[in-house]
């Protein structure tokens, strides 16, 4: 068995870092090209909540208002409207509650930033605890050594 990737070793940390970076690169660039109109319509329908249903997206719901919103999205996509224009029109018509994903401005920033801050803080706490556990406990002074030697001799 190879001892190259011993847990906690430098090689193990490098392997973990390179693996994570490779995963990010693949996830970022493996999109498969621009979405078709149908893919875009489906994606947009999954971003909006049905105003009359509890916890369902427009894509999942069969309520009349959800069908109306899906038809609106389809018409706007075919007409060449941007995702932002469609979002703004839906928020204007149905209010901010139509958004399944909170906005990334104003108070909505807390929803996005709080988990990152908590994870980073937890990582710092764990990292400092690991670092502290690897530090030598204390430096032995000459007086300490003399006392230990006296106790060993049975003073």
């Amino acid at each position: 068995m190879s001892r190259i990737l011993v847990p906690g070793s430098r090689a193990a940390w490098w392997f973990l870092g390179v693996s994570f970076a490779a995963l990010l690169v693949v996830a970022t660039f493996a999109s498969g090209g621009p979405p078709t109109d149908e893919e875009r319509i489906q994606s947009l329908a999954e971003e909006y909540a049905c105003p009359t249903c509890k916890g369902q997206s427009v894509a999942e719901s069969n309520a009349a208002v959800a069908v109306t919103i899906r038809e609106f999205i389809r018409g706007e996509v075919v007409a060449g409207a941007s995702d932002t224009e469609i979002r703004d029109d839906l928020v204007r018509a149905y209010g901010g509650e139509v958004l399944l994903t909170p906005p990334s401005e104003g108070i909505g920033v807390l929803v996005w930033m709080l988990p990152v801050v908590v994870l980073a803080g937890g990582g710092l706490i764990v990292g400092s605890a690991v670092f502290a556990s690897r530090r030598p406990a204390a430096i032995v002074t000459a007086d300490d050594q003399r006392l230990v030697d006296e106790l060993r001799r049975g003073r």
Side-chain angles (χ1 to χ4, degrees):
M1 180 167 110
S2 175
R3 305 272 313 160
I4 293 174
L5 291 179
V6 176
S9 70
R10 217 175 226 146
W13 283 110
W14 274 102
F15 177 75
L16 186 64
V18 169
S19 298
F20 185 70
L23 180 66
L24 283 176
V25 168
V26 168
T28 302
F29 294 111
S31 66
T36 65
D37 281 351
E38 284 304 316
E39 290 170 339
R40 188 169 161 226
I41 291 165
Q42 180 64 29
S43 174
L44 285 168
E46 291 171 357
E47 291 180 20
Y48 301 103
C50 173
T52 60
C53 309
K54 295 283 185 202
Q56 280 190 317
S57 71
V58 169
E60 298 168 328
S61 176
N62 289 325
V65 69
V67 172
T68 301
I69 292 173
R70 282 196 306 265
E71 290 172 358
F72 170 77
I73 291 171
R74 178 176 301 284
E76 292 297 301
V77 167
V78 170
S82 71
D83 293 357
T84 304
E85 291 170 332
I86 295 170
R87 180 184 51 106
D88 291 345
D89 288 342
L90 288 172
V91 169
R92 197 172 312 120
Y94 297 99
E97 298 80 31
V98 77
L99 298 174
L100 281 177
T101 309
S104 59
E105 66 255 354
I107 196 76
V109 169
L110 287 177
V111 175
W112 294 108
M113 291 305 296
L114 194 59
V116 173
V117 169
V118 168
L119 283 173
L124 287 174
I125 290 169
V126 169
S128 64
V130 168
F131 181 72
S133 71
R134 291 185 177 191
R135 233 183 290 145
I139 298 175
V140 179
T141 64
D143 289 336
D144 294 335
Q145 189 63 46
R146 183 183 50 78
L147 287 172
V148 169
D149 290 341
E150 286 177 13
L151 287 172
R152 284 185 179 157
R153 283 188 295 231
R155 185 176 174 210

